Amino acid sequence: MDANGKILVFVDLPGGELDETGRGLLSYGGRLAGILDARWGTATLLEPGAGPLTSLAAYGVPSVTVVSGGELLLDTPAHLGKTLARLAADERASVTVLPHNDLGSTLAPVIAAALNGALLTEVVSVRRDGENLRLSRHALGVRVDETKVWDGSRPLVITVPVRNLSQVLMPTVKPATPNLTVWHPVTQPEGATARVSERIPPDPQTVDLMEAEVIFSAGKGCDQATFNQLAELCRLLNVSFGVTRPVYDLGWTGFERMVGQTGRTVTPRLYLALGISGSMHHVGGIKDSRRIVSINSDAKAPIFANSDEGFVADLKEVLPRLLDRAKAAVGGTP
């Protein structure tokens, strides 16, 4: 890559705060800078307050560039993408990194096109290969890895799946004092473009389990009655519902609700396993969850060894109590 090139990490600071995705991006940017032996910094749409700035410093961010008026462009992603491309060009960024979420996946191709650069989305691994960079992503689900080689001859734009971003602050990271600057675009993008008129949050009851924030899952320890109670509990609490392979085989729900290596590999912030023994196929599909809580009547169930917190209890006693608490909290209706 260009010896003077820079890695530019886009962090949008939703609501003025540094969220889990943002912290994961900072950790990723620092590691990528180490792989490429390159300078790095972040681009934000808001000037970070004291809290986010402290976090940026803790992750070793050397520089923060605030895009003047950037927040006003959020409703016109094409214009925002062109603006970020100008910033990347001004800062001589060789690599621009974005999260692979709704915003990042929309901006990435616009930035790459404006820079006449290379684009690779959903990157899961990066390694140095001499003067080149080898980047891989999953294809055909997770059964095949597709690898591309970037030689640094033109700018590179990548997106990283949110589920692959770890916000863990490594002990090797040295805190920094970020250099904060405000960048003013010379001109504002013009022309007709799609505009975001409304943002509707995903429905936990129908969202793909791979994108779910909270999942309650039923295992073969559930009978038809407790299964129905758990489904009702999920509706009341507005969380996503999952099942193991044995439950799917009973025909109680569709394949899209099955969690595990033969179903959906999930990374929620909370995974509640109810009546799940913990086979290696299921554990392999939930191991990257931020927190796993399990309830099982068998104290020797393997799921406990893979849980952050576990309870030995009978679901026939636990679920009615949870339902009563949930109904009381929401007035008896979802």
Side-chain angles (χ1 to χ4, degrees):
M1 64 177 283
D2 182 353
N4 297 314
K6 177 181 180 179
I7 298 170
L8 186 64
V9 179
F10 173 66
V11 181
D12 64 329
L13 297 179
E17 298 298 326
L18 185 64
D19 60 5
E20 294 178 351
T21 297
R23 289 191 288 271
L25 283 168
L26 298 182
S27 181
Y28 187 91
R31 294 197 306 273
L32 185 59
I35 292 172
L36 293 176
D37 191 22
R39 298 178 298 115
W40 75 290
T42 64
T44 68
L45 304 181
L46 289 170
E47 183 169 339
L53 195 57
T54 299
S55 295
L56 290 164
Y59 279 92
V61 178
S63 64
V64 179
T65 303
V66 181
V67 178
S68 177
E71 188 184 20
L72 301 177
L73 296 174
L74 275 172
D75 288 342
T76 52
H79 287 172
L80 177 57
K82 291 176 181 178
T83 299
L84 291 174
R86 292 175 185 171
L87 171 61
D90 283 358
E91 298 209 347
R92 297 190 63 184
S94 294
V95 183
T96 302
V97 182
L98 303 101
H100 194 81
N101 53 17
D102 288 344
L103 181 60
S105 61
T106 300
L107 296 176
V110 177
I111 297 171
L115 293 173
N116 190 28
L119 170 66
L120 190 64
T121 59
E122 299 182 86
V123 172
V124 296
S125 68
V126 177
R127 66 182 179 89
R128 189 77 177 259
D129 185 7
E131 294 300 314
N132 299 327
L133 194 65
R134 299 181 70 87
L135 306 103
S136 298
R137 65 177 179 178
H138 294 316
L140 299 176
V142 296
R143 294 185 289 274
V144 177
D145 277 351
E146 176 186 10
T147 300
K148 301 289 185 180
V149 176
W150 177 64
D151 62 6
S153 60
R154 54 180 178 152
L156 171 67
V157 180
I158 66 172
T159 65
V160 184
V162 173
R163 63 181 178 275
N164 288 89
L165 293 172
S166 171
Q167 59 179 322
V168 174
L169 187 55
M170 302 301 291
T172 54
V173 175
K174 297 180 180 180
T177 302
N179 178 35
L180 185 64
T181 59
V182 178
W183 178 76
H184 298 272
V186 175
T187 59
Q188 295 294 330
E190 297 178 349
T193 184
R195 177 177 292 275
V196 177
S197 59
E198 183 181 5
R199 289 179 172 83
I200 302 173
D203 181 359
Q205 299 298 306
T206 58
V207 70
D208 190 318
L209 287 175
M210 294 176 66
E211 306 297 330
E213 288 289 316
V214 178
I215 301 174
F216 290 2
S217 275
K220 61 182 179 182
C222 290
D223 58 18
Q224 183 70 69
T226 51
F227 177 85
N228 292 340
Q229 288 171 341
L230 178 55
E232 183 180 0
L233 181 66
C234 290
R235 288 192 294 271
L236 288 169
L237 298 180
N238 203 28
V239 301
S240 297
F241 185 65
V243 299
T244 60
R245 181 61 188 251
V247 175
Y248 163 71
D249 288 341
L250 290 171
W252 293 350
T253 189
F255 178 79
E256 74 282 355
R257 296 289 105 187
M258 190 172 78
V259 177
Q261 290 180 325
T262 55
R264 293 287 194 273
T265 298
V266 300
T267 57
R269 24 184 205 88
L270 172 62
Y271 186 83
L272 179 61
L274 296 162
I276 296 174
S277 62
S279 71
M280 64 177 183
H281 296 292
H282 187 78
V283 170
I286 67 171
K287 62 182 178 63
D288 292 326
S289 301
R290 299 240 169 96
R291 186 169 184 80
I292 300 173
V293 178
S294 56
I295 302 175
N296 201 291
S297 60
D298 181 4
K300 296 181 179 179
I303 190 67
F304 289 127
N306 297 282
S307 301
D308 298 290
E309 195 171 3
F311 301 90
V312 179
D314 187 343
L315 292 180
K316 292 179 181 179
E317 297 179 2
V318 172
L319 275 171
R321 294 182 181 182
L322 290 177
L323 264 178
D324 288 343
R325 293 287 296 273
K327 288 177 179 178
V330 299
T333 56

